[in-house]
Amino acid sequence: MLMKHSICPSCSVGCGINLINHNEKIVGTYPYKGHHINEGKNCLRGRDSYKLIEENNFSIPLKKKQNKLIESDWNTVINSISEIINSYSKDKIGILSSGKSTNEENEVIKNFAEDNGIEKIGVYTHNFPKIDEEIMISDYDEVNNASFVFIIGNVLLENPLIGRRIVIASDKGTKIFSADYTDKSITSMNSDNYFKFSSISEFLSKFPKEIEDKFHGNSVIIFNKLEAKENYKEIIDIANRNNAKILPILPEANSYGSMNYLTSLDKNELLSMISSIKVLIIIKNDPEDNLLDDEINLELNNLDYMISLNDSFKESMEIFDYIIPIPSWAEKNGSFTNTIGELQNFEKIIDMNKGVFPIEKVFDEISKNLD
């Protein structure tokens, strides 16, 4: 039995985890007490992250026949995808990556698009824009010692290791204010004052003086949701006029890093891209997790072909015409960039299953067949 350090893929906080390898199978996790971010603590999603490697795992390419996905083979699927790309003008082809892809994978995706004249390419970041490196980003220790914390979203539930630091600050006497859509949440119940809103945009445009007056000393604004990219600038404006720092908690493990390689797309930009193309290649975007939206699905229905590269298969992926299995984060060397811009490298824990190919091989083989 072997135990190796890795980085949790569940969100962008970047917690360390130990994965337990027994006979080339990941059987569990163990606290990584030496990691500077989470110090051995992991949320439920982190502790269960090892299940992502085996659950819904598949190693045989799939293609749609008579409206049903069936098992195929590597050469058939690669050749079919190449023929599809060759049969359309490049402006009718789009590529959509996600924050689940490593930095190295996103570089491969970017290079493939550039080499083959595909300009409609991006990463869906759930309305977060590329993080401005000139902005004052709070580190995690500053949350522990903040004099005031203002939260947008249910951070204590959805990002518990940041929530732990907020609770530590509260225990020291820090005032915690929060705002969200719901009547009650884990975060609201642990706040000194809670503001319910129906629109983040409207709330920020009429930012309550009651909150503004609380900013003093080393204050931090923490947020894990936005309605539009413009909300990010509005939050920065609030932080700047109050000499506060911000901590944007991005939606996926490598959302920050992905935006360094690919254009960040909010929902409207994604809809615009989909409506202008006929072929969409989607990498590590599971419709069940982050594309299940009536408006987006309506646009997806208008495409001629949808091609997926993914490390797992779920029923929601029946919408695709071709699916190629690629390795999970634990089956390769790579890196994520966490939500505070820290590059985190990790090593392969187990070997890839036979029939699974890394993204660079997939795109290399497709490229060989393109005109």
Side-chain angles (χ1 to χ4, degrees):
M1 187 173 293
L2 301 173
M3 186 166 63
K4 279 192 175 182
H5 301 319
S6 190
I7 300 299
C8 179
S10 300
C11 78
S12 63
V13 175
C15 294
I17 55 171
N18 285 326
L19 293 175
I20 303 169
N21 177 357
H22 180 62
N23 294 331
E24 284 302 302
K25 182 176 181 180
I26 304 300
V27 296
T29 61
Y30 190 79
Y32 186 173
K33 295 183 179 179
H35 199 269
H36 64 287
I37 291 178
N38 54 308
E39 301 169 329
K41 308 292 193 299
N42 288 108
C43 69
L44 180 60
R45 283 197 299 162
R47 293 193 297 273
D48 286 349
S49 62
Y50 75 96
K51 297 178 181 178
L52 298 172
I53 303 163
E54 292 296 329
E55 286 182 355
N56 308 309
N57 187 263
F58 74 118
S59 56
I60 299 175
L62 305 173
K63 69 174 183 179
K64 186 162 285 185
K65 185 176 182 180
Q66 296 178 344
N67 212 32
K68 184 178 180 180
L69 285 172
I70 61 171
E71 292 184 352
S72 186
D73 63 87
W74 171 259
N75 288 332
T76 297
V77 169
I78 290 294
N79 290 336
S80 297
I81 292 171
S82 303
E83 289 174 7
I84 290 168
I85 295 174
N86 277 329
S87 64
Y88 287 84
S89 60
K90 296 300 187 290
D91 65 329
K92 293 300 180 183
I93 299 167
I95 302 177
L96 179 67
S97 186
S98 81
K100 295 178 183 178
S101 301
T102 65
N103 289 310
E104 295 74 18
E105 288 172 330
N106 280 309
E107 184 174 16
V108 168
I109 295 164
K110 176 185 177 183
N111 290 340
F112 171 81
E114 290 178 349
D115 291 345
N116 293 285
I118 299 172
E119 297 181 354
K120 292 176 180 176
I121 175 173
V123 54
Y124 184 36
T125 53
H126 299 259
N127 304 324
F128 279 84
K130 184 177 181 180
I131 303 303
D132 188 343
E133 294 181 359
E134 300 297 318
I135 300 301
M136 292 193 298
I137 302 293
S138 170
D139 66 34
Y140 298 144
D141 288 339
E142 287 176 308
V143 175
N144 295 34
N145 301 301
S147 56
F148 174 61
V149 174
F150 174 59
I151 307 164
I152 299 175
N154 193 4
V155 170
L156 269 72
L157 176 66
E158 295 161 10
N159 308 101
L161 273 299
I162 298 298
R164 172 176 172 260
R165 292 177 179 270
I166 294 169
V167 171
I168 290 171
S170 179
D171 289 343
K172 293 179 179 180
T174 301
K175 290 294 183 184
I176 311 295
F177 282 22
S178 64
D180 206 346
Y181 298 102
T182 59
D183 290 322
K184 186 167 68 173
S185 69
I186 297 295
T187 301
S188 70
M189 290 187 290
N190 285 277
S191 300
D192 296 289
N193 204 343
Y194 176 67
F195 299 80
K196 180 185 175 182
F197 54 66
S198 57
S199 164
I200 294 177
S201 300
E202 183 178 346
F203 176 79
L204 293 174
S205 69
K206 301 175 182 177
F207 196 65
K209 188 175 185 299
E210 187 177 353
I211 302 175
E212 193 114 27
D213 289 344
K214 289 293 180 182
F215 285 98
H216 60 90
N218 51 330
S219 301
V220 181
I221 303 174
I222 303 174
F223 54 102
N224 67 2
K225 61 181 65 171
L226 298 174
E227 287 174 350
K229 284 184 175 180
E230 291 74 20
N231 296 155
Y232 175 69
K233 183 180 183 304
E234 292 169 326
I235 291 172
I236 289 173
D237 288 343
I238 294 168
N240 285 343
R241 68 175 179 253
N242 291 289
N243 198 30
K245 291 188 175 182
I246 66 168
L247 179 54
I249 307 177
L250 302 175
E252 295 171 327
N254 197 38
S255 292
Y256 191 116
S258 297
M259 289 188 281
N260 289 329
Y261 294 93
L262 307 172
T263 302
S264 65
L265 303 175
D266 62 19
K267 179 180 173 180
N268 288 332
E269 290 166 333
L270 175 59
L271 285 168
S272 177
M273 184 181 88
I274 295 172
S275 67
S276 68
I277 61 176
K278 286 300 181 182
V279 179
L280 179 60
I281 302 171
I282 301 181
I283 298 99
K284 293 191 178 179
N285 270 298
D286 177 4
E288 186 175 282
D289 292 337
N290 50 0
L291 286 181
L292 194 59
D293 177 285
D294 288 342
E295 285 185 87
I296 294 174
N297 280 337
L298 188 62
E299 289 297 341
L300 291 175
N301 288 335
N302 294 324
L303 294 171
D304 291 346
Y305 293 99
M306 284 195 293
I307 299 156
S308 172
L309 279 62
N310 216 318
D311 55 13
S312 65
F313 176 78
K314 299 178 182 178
E315 286 186 11
S316 59
M317 295 172 66
E318 294 280 354
I319 64 173
F320 293 110
D321 297 287
Y322 294 91
I323 306 179
I324 295 178
I326 56 175
S328 69
W329 99 102
E331 297 169 299
K332 62 196 171 199
N333 298 324
S335 66
F336 294 144
T337 304
N338 70 13
T339 201
I340 59 172
E342 178 185 3
L343 183 69
Q344 297 180 291
N345 294 296
F346 52 86
E347 295 182 354
K348 180 177 71 172
I349 309 296
I350 56 173
D351 291 330
M352 288 181 285
N353 285 332
K354 184 179 180 180
V356 174
F357 294 94
I359 279 180
E360 54 266 32
K361 179 173 176 58
V362 174
F363 283 121
D364 184 55
E365 292 299 318
I366 292 173
S367 293
K368 290 178 182 178
N369 297 329
L370 297 185
D371 296 338

